[in-house]
Amino acid sequence: QVQLVESGGGLVQAGGSLRLSCAIFGRSFSRYVMGWFRQAPAKEREFVASITWSGGSTDYTDSVKGRFTISRDNAKNAVYLQMNSLKPEDTALYYCAAQMVVSSSGTYSDRYKYAYWGQGTQVTVSS
């Protein structure tokens, strides 16, 4: 069993920044493809960013490219999402997701490829 614990959400004005963190508990020495998704009210869960288990490759949805950065620290079993130049449209519940892999793997943008999910952390961007 794997538990993901997110933190760092909050209220910020447009143009501001937030840094989300996700800690992984359980299977501490396993390899995980990690992702961030978000879901606004009455919207489907949307892919935001993903990173390979090694951290060597990343992928972003077009709307956040150049503003968001996903990173990871496997020694700390943690993944981060640095969000800069935030816009009101970024307002959503942000979820951390993980998929354990046993061999080399790329990034996943499909939410159905992730087996484990955090509880979500709310990000609200005001104007």
Side-chain angles (χ1 to χ4, degrees):
Q1 187 171 339
V2 175
Q3 183 181 11
L4 307 180
V5 180
E6 298 146 303
S7 61
L11 175 65
V12 65
Q13 291 191 331
S17 298
L18 284 174
R19 182 176 181 263
L20 306 184
S21 298
C22 175
I24 306 167
F25 297 91
R27 299 182 182 272
S28 298
F29 305 105
S30 297
R31 296 175 175 178
Y32 298 94
V33 173
M34 302 297 300
W36 286 97
F37 290 76
R38 64 188 181 187
Q39 188 166 17
K43 301 287 187 178
E44 291 188 354
R45 193 164 299 185
E46 174 191 23
F47 169 73
V48 177
S50 183
I51 187 167
T52 57
W53 66 265
S54 68
S57 296
T58 58
D59 187 31
Y60 302 90
T61 191
D62 287 344
S63 64
V64 308
K65 288 181 178 178
R67 299 189 297 121
F68 290 10
T69 302
I70 187 172
S71 62
R72 67 191 301 162
D73 186 342
N74 288 341
K76 297 180 179 179
N77 285 342
V79 63
Y80 309 96
L81 185 68
Q82 178 65 47
M83 305 185 294
N84 298 325
S85 301
L86 283 162
K87 305 174 181 179
E89 68 176 272
D90 295 318
T91 295
L93 189 64
Y94 281 71
Y95 296 92
C96 177
Q99 175 62 46
M100 187 177 69
V101 295
V102 296
S103 61
S104 298
S105 179
T107 56
Y108 298 152
S109 60
D110 185 349
R111 65 182 183 271
Y112 296 107
K113 292 188 176 181
Y114 291 91
Y116 305 103
W117 294 83
Q119 79 286 356
T121 184
Q122 179 67 225
V123 172
T124 303
V125 184
S126 66
S127 60

